[in-house]
Amino acid sequence: MARRLDVTGADGVRLAAWDFTNGTAPRSGPGVLLLHGLMGHAAHWAPAISRLTGRTRTVALDQRGHGHSERPPGGVFTREAYVADAAAAVEQLGLGPATLIGHSMGALTAWQLAAERPDLVRALVICDMRASALGAASQREWQDWFRRWPTPFPSLDAVRRWFGEDDPWVERPNPARGAFFAEVMAQHPDGWRPVFDPAHMLTSRETWVHDAHWDSLAEVRCPTLVVRGLDGELGRAEAQEMVRVLPHGSYAEIPDAGHLLHYSHPSAWHTATTPFLTGLLTP
């Protein structure tokens, strides 16, 4: 059972962090901070990190507007705010210099923090996040996608079925995707709705899709692993170019995995990341 820790983020936003540390691992000192992707939450990391938690402090953060963390007044979802929140978690929880492990948007936050505050970051794992710009068309596609959600869902089974089978973006049945979204739904009198505000998710995404992020990636000086799912959103050529740009980059991929590689294939994710993490994590 994860233990909740409270963090005060940028502009006083209340953030929930979850300590997954167990076994004989130390409860203080440097450790791992995990950052989920857009629409995710801290517990999505649980299947992938079960073998880390007995070796080092392991904390996952619900980022602003996600999970149990506060939706900031005024809807501040800038890149600067996300990065400042992650820095606050490292500093307030005494995790630094931390090993940052991020997925998708969380990976971008992690590498931007590593570039801006190298004193806080020991090593970095980037999971299926692109450095190139996605463009305005991509943002319009997401706006249309959110409009198609048949909310409220009558049941969690309906959530799993729509996101795992009926969503037009699903090319073939994907039970893991359905389960992923079922975990971020809450029950209301009229049915099941996401714990996040879709408008906030679009605002968050707006802050990164129009720009490329190669410059900040090149400023990351710590050892960095770029890991992708073979069927994910990060192509092999771009991933290998990211490794080339990184001063201390390395590469891994997970066969048969898509974008949710750590969630859908936790054992393979662990196998892919272990050679990099071995020796980095505090015994």
Side-chain angles (χ1 to χ4, degrees), residues 115-149:
E116 295 176 16
R117 293 290 308 275
D119 58 305
L120 295 182
V121 184
R122 181 183 183 187
L124 177 64
V125 178
I126 296 170
C127 297
D128 215 61
M129 179 61 188
R130 300 179 62 180
S132 59
L134 299 177
S138 173
Q139 189 70 355
R140 289 193 297 270
E141 289 173 359
W142 274 66
Q143 290 169 344
D144 293 341
W145 178 58
F146 275 123
R147 293 190 191 104
R148 289 198 298 266
W149 287 22

Side-chain angles (χ1 to χ4, degrees), residues 80-239:
E80 293 79 7
Y82 276 111
V83 173
D85 289 346
V90 173
E91 292 180 318
Q92 292 173 31
L93 301 178
L95 287 167
T99 297
L100 301 183
I101 301 177
H103 172 246
S104 195
M105 178 191 73
L108 177 59
T109 299
W111 92 56
Q112 289 179 331
L113 177 58
E116 295 176 16
R117 293 290 308 275
D119 58 305
L120 295 182
V121 184
R122 181 183 183 187
L124 177 64
V125 178
I126 296 170
C127 297
D128 215 61
M129 179 61 188
R130 300 179 62 180
S132 59
L134 299 177
S138 173
Q139 189 70 355
R140 289 193 297 270
E141 289 173 359
W142 274 66
Q143 290 169 344
D144 293 341
W145 178 58
F146 275 123
R147 293 190 191 104
R148 289 198 298 266
W149 287 22
T151 51
F153 292 93
S155 66
L156 284 179
D157 282 342
V159 173
R160 296 185 189 98
R161 184 169 58 253
W162 196 82
F163 288 101
E165 300 178 22
D166 299 339
D167 182 352
W169 281 9
V170 176
E171 296 180 356
R172 56 183 180 274
N174 189 340
R177 188 173 187 266
F180 180 96
F181 280 98
E183 286 190 22
V184 290
M185 295 288 162
Q187 190 170 23
H188 295 262
D190 61 348
W192 293 83
R193 298 178 180 272
V195 298
F196 51 79
D197 184 337
H200 292 167
M201 301 300 100
L202 287 171
T203 300
S204 297
R205 196 172 185 273
E206 183 78 25
T207 64
W208 89 72
V209 296
H210 300 292
D211 300 314
H213 306 284
W214 295 100
D215 289 347
S216 60
L217 189 70
E219 293 173 3
V220 174
R221 300 296 171 185
C222 63
T224 301
L225 175 68
V226 177
V227 57
R228 61 179 289 269
L230 205 60
D231 296 321
E233 296 179 7
L234 175 62
R236 179 180 286 127
E238 183 172 351

Side-chain angles (χ1 to χ4, degrees), residues 10-29:
D11 306 316
V13 172
R14 296 188 300 274
L15 304 172
W18 301 90
D19 189 343
F20 285 89
T21 309
N22 62 26
T24 59
R27 298 282 175 169
S28 61

Side-chain angles (χ1 to χ4, degrees), residues 128 228-233 254 256-262 264-265:
D128 215 61
R228 61 179 289 269
L230 205 60
D231 296 321
E233 296 179 7
I254 301 175
D256 303 321
H259 183 58
L260 304 176
L261 62 174
H262 63 295
S264 63
H265 292 69

